[in-house]
Each structure stands twice: as structure tokens, then as C-alpha cells.
Amino acid sequence: MKTEEEIKIPNATAKRIPLYYRYLKTLQESGVERIKSKEFSQLIQVPSATIRRDFSHFGELGRSGYGYDVSYLIEVFSNILNTKVEKRIALVGAGNLGKALLNNNFRRNENLNIVCAFDANPEMIGQKINGVTVRPMSDMKELVRKEGITTAISTVPSSHSQEVVDQIVDSGITAILNFAPGRVKVPEQVKIQYIDLTTELQTLIYMDENFTSRKHFNFSNQD
Amino acid sequence: MKTEEEIKIPNATAKRIPLYYRYLKTLQESGVERIKSKEFSQLIQVPSATIRRDFSHFGELGRSGYGYDVSYLIEVFSNILNTKVEKRIALVGAGNLGKALLNNNFRRNENLNIVCAFDANPEMIGQKINGVTVRPMSDMKELVRKEGITTAISTVPSSHSQEVVDQIVDSGITAILNFAPGRVKVPEQVKIQYIDLTTELQTLIYMDENFTSRKHFNFSNQD
DNA sequence: CTCAAGATGTGAATATTTTAACAAGAGGTG
DNA sequence: CACCTCTTGTTAAAATATTCACATCTTGAG
């Protein structure tokens, strides 16, 4: 088995790891102890060749004529995703969407925790949502440091997105999930990922209108 | 200019169209009448060569030494996305996230409208959120037909995702945006797109932890 | 009208991702 | 133990996507 350090994981593979991990946990909960790439393929709707190729980047995880050990795979992917370390997350923007996220709070992933929330609107300050108190923006920098927060989720509207992201970056956070679609500027070392519901919806509708009776959008169902 | 029918639009391009469209509208609102691929590149953080290549699939939209006419581009992309036809959308699942979506209701896109909402929980039925009344699941099939609904958004938890999607499909809808991450089975002609917040977050954190000081995750900033 | 500056659209090169196909190896049965 | 079946890991091929680099065209200034 290759050591993890020398491997270059393709982007496309990296994006599928959380999906793999989630399904493996579900399988384990249902008492499934081993899985073949073909079965897994049917479950997650990713071609079996892609699954085997993806897995192979992390070593020889399976055994010919047998398949993969679910608990071993979980062990491997858990290390890759570093799930044994709690990720403490800050939520910025406690409007409708922010509240929904707080109420949900990645409950099924015990290592992902929104531990504090900020909002610029004075009326919001002090509200307690699912155990988390909404605080003023001015508290962010200090709390991020004190609470060991590594990641932020911003649900602030596009109009204030850049200025809020600047504050987030200034607080020392290096990973941001942004629900405002407008592209913002961040220093090179900061990773930012956009979740753009309108774009997703428009793409979906476009695909539906133009490629009906074609292949599945994300991944083909075959195999 | 080639006729639209004979062109095969690459998937990667198709996914960027809504982004292009959104930014072009913003530019137009700010009174910008023309744009060069290099300027646009800086704005949306997609390399200029990619932009030009993408645009070229829809004909020769620009002029050498001049750039692109913003209003003409909007016209073209508006046709591609068919934004002149209202897309009537059903929301299924009126919990926290569903309510947030209803309250927002794609306000900035006048052609995307959530026009009705359904929930299985009797306590929800009858509630009015941002002008939309929550109805029982049993009303869906009839309303979808009567209201000319083409698309559904499901915020129903994974545990009931498949059964709800079955009902959505049965009502005649062919495009589904699903916030439950569990992959569901749908007939071939139905397009389904997943929005999986946990996966996005885990991927982001993974990238942040493993590729710090590397390139931007989605698109490089350069150019 | 002429010319310099500058931007497009696109062939060609490169990079990335997916898919097919199969040799090699493991498992389980008799 | 021998053998048949099955599945992996991977090599090679194909498909898709990005990027470079420039011939060609347009603009706008003089």
C-alpha cells in the first residue's frame, strides 16, 4: 500500500468520498459487513469501475472474488475525511436559511457542529436557536479563536456577501461555504465553496427540457 | 450562427450558463453595455478561454477587438434557459428548510416560482407561508396538473425520500431537486439533482485540510 | 483611409475523468 | 486439493474538459 502523502487524489474522486462514506455508514448500521463494487454501484448510482478506480487511490482496499470489508472502508475514509476530529463551525447570517441549518446542525454527522452563530441585525442578537445563541458580528474574531472554529457557513445575501466574507477571513477561518452566489475575493489560502440553489435549479430544468430521454444528469444509472 | 438543434453542448458548459446569465443581468442593472471575456473572467472567476469556448457553442456572439454586447448575451442565454416561460415549482416538505425556501422563493428570478407546497404532517396543513398554503400530499397529483407544475423541490428527510419521490414522479413531474442525500430510483426520463450540504461541507473541509496553498477549489482565480 | 491596439473564435495541445476489459488472485465447494 | 466462480486493481482506450496561442477581424484614433 502506498503511503498517503505521496498520492495525488483527483478532484473528481475527492468529491465522491463523502458520498462513499455516508453510504458505508448506512450499510454498517444495517448490519452489512461486506460490499462488492457492483452492489455499491447500484446503491449510490456511480459506475462500479469508477468506484474501484476511486478506491484504488487509497491502496488495495478490497480482495478479489470477495469485495470490500465495510468496516475497513469506513476506517480508511474516516481517516481521509478526518472525522475523528470535531469540526467546529460558525454560522454567519441567522435568517430563514441560517435557522434551518442551525436546527438541523448536521445531526447525522457527530463531528460537524455549528457551535456559534452571528448576525448583523440587532434584533436577532441574543436569540437562542437549537441551543446556539446568535451574537453580534463584532464578537466573531474573538470567539473563532477561543472556540477553535475552523470553518464558516455564510447565508448572508449577495449584497453583503463580500464584506461579511472579509470579516470571516479576518477572523482566521480558511474554509467557507457560501450560500450567496456572487463570487467574492478571498486570499489564496482560503477555500470557498458556493452553494447556489438558483443555478442548480436552472441547470436541472435546462437538462430536463433539452435532454429528455437521455442519460441521467449526475451519473448514469447503468451497471 | 448554427441552429440550436444541431449543437451538442458539453455538460460542463451547461452547468455554467446560469452563472453567466446571472452575472450578465447584474451587469446590465449596473448599466454596463459591453463586456470583454477577460473582464468577465475576473468577475466570475472562470478563465477567459473557458468563457470564450463556452460562448462559442452558441454561435459567434462577440466581435473581435470589441467584446460582447451584454444585452445580446442576455437575449441568447435567456433563450437557452427559456426564462421567458414561467417555471411553476412544487415544494414538498415544509419543515425548516422548506419554509426558508418558500420565504425566499427565488425572488430575484421572476420566472422561477414555488406555487404550492405539500407536507405529510397534518399539523402543517393549512399554514400559509409567504402566500403559499401548505396542502396534504394527497392533493399533489391533481394540483400539479391543474397548476401546470413542471418541477419539484423535495426537502423531505432521507428516511421518506424514496416514497415521496415516487409520489412526485407519479404526479407527472419530470425534474426534481432533492435535498435528501440518499440516492433514489426514478424512471429514466425523470431528471433528479441532489443538493447535499453535508457532502459539500466535508469536501470543502477535506480540500482545506489537504490542499492548503493550492489552487482554488472550483475554478482557479487566475487570468 | 490607414494603422495600431486589442479581442474574438478556434485549431491543437494538454489535462482530467470515465469507461472497458481482463489478468491475477481469492473464496468456497465438493 | 483442485477447480470453478467471482471480483479486484489496473492497463489501456475513449471521452470530456481546459488551456494555450494565434490568425483574423474590429474598433477607434489620427
Side-chain angles (χ1 to χ4, degrees):
Chain A
M1 163 162 171
K2 305 159 198 165
T3 52
E4 219 172 292
E5 282 63 47
E6 58 183 279
I7 320 172
K8 164 76 167 41
I9 305 303
N11 231 276
T13 298
K15 289 191 195 165
R16 280 186 293 262
I17 297 174
L19 181 71
Y20 295 148
Y21 182 67
R22 180 207 303 287
Y23 265 92
L24 288 165
K25 294 282 271 189
T26 308
L27 282 170
Q28 192 176 51
E29 277 166 29
S30 335
V32 177
E33 292 183 356
R34 54 156 138 162
I35 187 85
K36 290 168 253 184
S37 65
K38 231 168 198 169
E39 293 168 352
F40 203 43
S41 167
Q42 299 214 306
L43 203 57
I44 64 180
Q45 298 173 202
V46 172
S48 64
T50 303
I51 292 173
R52 289 200 302 280
R53 160 81 73 233
D54 282 349
F55 284 10
S56 76
H57 288 107
F58 304 102
E60 309 202 349
L61 308 183
R63 286 179 291 164
S64 303
Y66 173 94
Y68 301 87
D69 236 87
V70 171
S71 62
Y72 180 57
L73 284 183
I74 288 177
E75 177 68 18
V76 170
F77 288 121
S78 170
N79 281 331
I80 293 163
L81 294 173
N82 197 13
T83 60
K84 279 156 196 158
V85 174
E86 186 201 12
K87 315 293 178 187
R88 296 168 73 75
I89 301 160
L91 177 81
V92 187
N96 285 309
L97 180 56
K99 279 179 191 143
L101 294 173
L102 270 172
N103 278 306
N104 194 69
N105 205 351
F106 307 100
R107 227 170 289 148
R108 313 252 326 173
N109 282 68
E110 61 292 334
N111 77 309
L112 300 176
N113 287 309
I114 301 176
V115 294
C116 58
F118 303 95
D119 202 293
N121 182 349
E123 288 178 29
M124 295 287 190
I125 312 299
Q127 263 190 60
K128 202 163 189 168
I129 302 156
N130 195 19
V132 176
T133 305
V134 179
R135 295 169 187 283
M137 296 296 291
S138 52
D139 288 7
M140 186 161 59
K141 193 163 183 173
E142 193 195 334
L143 263 170
V144 163
R145 197 178 40 74
K146 202 160 66 182
E147 294 274 345
I149 292 168
T150 54
T151 305
I153 299 175
S154 170
T155 68
V156 171
S158 282
S159 50
H160 297 91
S161 184
Q162 179 71 63
E163 94 192 55
V164 164
V165 166
D166 288 346
Q167 287 180 73
I168 291 171
V169 168
D170 181 57
S171 78
I173 281 169
T174 56
I176 303 171
L177 195 64
N178 194 355
F179 281 84
R183 268 40 180 179
V184 295
K185 293 224 178 296
V186 292
E188 224 203 322
Q189 77 277 10
V190 175
K191 298 279 171 308
I192 184 159
Q193 168 84 315
Y194 298 91
I195 294 196
D196 183 344
L197 300 182
T198 303
T199 286
E200 301 285 355
L201 190 59
Q202 282 180 325
T203 306
L204 172 68
I205 292 172
Y206 171 77
M207 295 291 192
D208 188 45
E209 291 179 348
N210 294 278
F211 302 102
T212 300
S213 85
R214 287 284 184 76
K215 270 216 276 185
H216 198 274
F217 174 33
N218 259 326
F219 299 111
S220 77
N221 271 29
Q222 71 213 21
D223 203 339
Chain B
M1 164 163 170
K2 303 159 198 167
T3 52
E4 219 172 291
E5 282 63 47
E6 60 184 276
I7 320 170
K8 164 76 167 41
I9 306 303
N11 230 277
T13 298
K15 289 191 194 164
R16 281 186 292 261
I17 297 173
L19 180 71
Y20 294 148
Y21 182 68
R22 180 208 303 286
Y23 265 92
L24 289 165
K25 295 282 271 188
T26 308
L27 283 171
Q28 192 175 51
E29 277 166 29
S30 336
V32 178
E33 292 182 359
R34 54 158 137 160
I35 186 86
K36 290 167 254 185
S37 64
K38 232 169 197 170
E39 295 167 352
F40 204 44
S41 167
Q42 298 215 306
L43 203 56
I44 64 180
Q45 298 173 200
V46 173
S48 64
T50 303
I51 292 173
R52 289 200 302 281
R53 166 82 67 217
D54 282 348
F55 285 9
S56 77
H57 288 109
F58 303 103
E60 308 203 349
L61 308 184
R63 275 139 62 193
S64 302
Y66 174 93
Y68 301 87
D69 236 86
V70 171
S71 62
Y72 180 58
L73 284 184
I74 288 176
E75 176 68 17
V76 170
F77 288 121
S78 170
N79 281 331
I80 292 163
L81 293 174
N82 197 12
T83 61
K84 280 156 195 157
V85 174
E86 186 201 12
K87 315 293 178 185
R88 297 168 72 73
I89 301 159
L91 176 80
V92 187
N96 286 309
L97 180 56
K99 279 179 191 143
L101 294 172
L102 271 172
N103 278 306
N104 193 70
N105 205 351
F106 307 101
R107 230 171 287 150
R108 313 250 326 171
N109 281 70
E110 61 292 336
N111 76 311
L112 299 175
N113 287 310
I114 301 176
V115 295
C116 58
F118 303 95
D119 203 293
N121 182 349
E123 287 176 30
M124 295 289 190
I125 312 299
Q127 263 190 61
K128 203 164 188 166
I129 302 157
N130 195 19
V132 176
T133 306
V134 179
R135 296 169 186 282
M137 296 296 292
S138 51
D139 287 7
M140 184 161 61
K141 191 164 186 173
E142 194 194 333
L143 264 170
V144 163
R145 196 177 42 72
K146 203 160 68 185
E147 294 274 345
I149 292 167
T150 54
T151 305
I153 300 174
S154 170
T155 67
V156 171
S158 281
S159 50
H160 297 90
S161 184
Q162 178 70 63
E163 94 193 56
V164 164
V165 167
D166 288 345
Q167 286 180 73
I168 291 171
V169 168
D170 182 56
S171 77
I173 281 170
T174 56
I176 303 170
L177 196 65
N178 194 356
F179 281 84
R183 269 39 180 177
V184 295
K185 291 224 178 297
V186 292
E188 223 202 322
Q189 78 277 11
V190 176
K191 298 280 172 307
I192 185 160
Q193 169 84 315
Y194 298 90
I195 295 195
D196 183 343
L197 301 182
T198 304
T199 285
E200 301 285 355
L201 190 59
Q202 282 180 325
T203 306
L204 171 68
I205 293 171
Y206 171 76
M207 296 291 193
D208 189 45
E209 291 179 348
N210 294 279
F211 303 102
T212 300
S213 86
R214 287 285 183 73
K215 271 215 278 186
H216 199 273
F217 174 33
N218 259 327
F219 299 111
S220 77
N221 269 30
Q222 71 213 21
D223 204 338

